[in-house]
Amino acid sequence: MESSDNFDLGLIFNSKIIKINASLYYGKQNNVLATVFDPRVNANYAQNAGKITVKGAEFESYMEFTKGLVFFLNPSYNYVAYDNDIEMRQGTPATKTIIPIGGKQSPATPKIMVKTGLMYSYKELNANIFLNHIGERFGDALNNERVTDYTLFDSSFTYKPSFNNTAFKNMTLGIEMKNITNRKYVGIINTNDESQGNSASYLTGFPRTIVGTIGFNF
């Protein structure tokens, strides 16, 4: 059965202008399901035989420069990797093969992510603009299939008009824009932790998308 041991160290700081929430974490995942060779039956199959190390840091900060205007910066670092290489039997006739995945970043998992932007509110108006950066990822456990990093710009606006004593007094208008620059990027990577080359599937990320909303609270 898979199990894990996790350790976290956090720091929280709040003042009128700045709010900070930072943490360091370290974890060991034991008996992770992985496809490895079993000499008892002379076959490769999924077994609870893997060990994975997880470590990283997260940092959240919010700074209110002036009333209603908040800047935030939330970077993170995440390392996920098998502790050791794995053994399999491959080819015809089947021969012993060591898959050197020990210490290599787990597929589809970026080490670096950053979210930053501005949030503004004034009376019935709320406006936000965000930058989301996803670092380099890999499509295989050997880290040969590199998927380049990407940065997206998003924004949203909401406004609640003043229609007192009318049927529209609780109406909210909104508009949301995703991927403003229409960046072409790989969104989802479908793979597993010990996958080798040419086994992953890649899904294209969403193009520029603009959605308008009208809401009512009854």
Side-chain angles (χ1 to χ4, degrees):
M1 182 175 66
E2 185 173 336
S3 64
S4 64
D5 300 301
N6 301 288
F7 304 90
D8 295 272
L9 177 64
L11 170 67
I12 297 176
F13 174 81
N14 291 320
S15 72
K16 291 183 179 180
I17 298 176
I18 299 175
K19 294 182 179 181
I20 294 175
N21 187 351
S23 65
L24 298 173
Y25 57 88
Y26 179 87
K28 284 285 188 180
Q29 298 178 6
N30 304 303
N31 302 319
V32 177
L33 194 65
T35 301
V36 297
F37 177 72
D38 186 344
R40 296 171 298 179
V41 295
N42 197 34
N44 302 316
Y45 66 93
Q47 306 172 56
N48 293 102
K51 291 185 178 181
I52 290 178
T53 295
V54 178
K55 58 184 176 181
E58 296 179 343
F59 181 84
E60 295 183 11
S61 62
Y62 301 87
M63 290 158 276
E64 188 171 9
F65 294 120
T66 185
K67 186 177 180 180
L69 180 62
V70 176
F71 168 77
F72 68 92
L73 174 64
N74 303 338
S76 65
Y77 171 83
N78 188 32
Y79 170 88
V80 182
Y82 272 90
D83 291 351
N84 301 303
D85 300 335
I86 61 175
E87 179 184 337
M88 299 182 70
R89 289 291 190 271
Q90 294 180 329
T92 304
T95 57
K96 176 181 176 180
T97 303
I98 300 298
I99 312 300
I101 67 173
K104 293 184 171 65
Q105 182 72 358
S106 181
T109 304
K111 283 187 178 180
I112 302 295
M113 293 188 293
V114 179
K115 186 172 184 178
T116 186
L118 292 168
M119 299 182 293
Y120 177 73
S121 62
Y122 177 74
K123 294 183 178 180
E124 305 301 331
L125 172 67
N126 289 282
N128 307 299
I129 184 165
F130 307 116
L131 178 153
N132 291 287
H133 176 78
I134 304 298
E136 181 183 64
R137 294 167 292 166
F138 301 96
D140 70 311
L142 299 179
N143 291 180
N144 291 325
E145 296 181 11
R146 295 178 179 270
V147 179
T148 187
D149 61 340
Y150 65 89
T151 302
L152 302 180
F153 292 91
D154 306 324
S155 66
S156 65
F157 302 87
T158 59
Y159 179 69
K160 187 176 181 180
S162 297
F163 293 125
N164 295 329
N165 301 319
T166 71
F168 301 101
K169 65 179 180 179
N170 292 320
M171 182 174 69
T172 301
L173 304 176
I175 185 170
E176 186 174 6
M177 294 174 281
K178 296 285 190 180
N179 192 7
I180 295 174
T181 60
N182 202 29
R183 171 70 186 268
K184 293 180 174 60
Y185 66 99
V186 174
I188 297 174
I189 302 174
N190 288 321
T191 185
N192 54 58
D193 288 334
E194 76 277 3
S195 67
Q196 299 180 58
N198 302 318
S199 62
S201 61
Y202 302 91
L203 300 181
T204 304
F206 287 103
R208 181 190 296 120
T209 304
I210 302 175
V211 177
T213 60
I214 299 177
F216 294 90
N217 292 322
F218 297 100

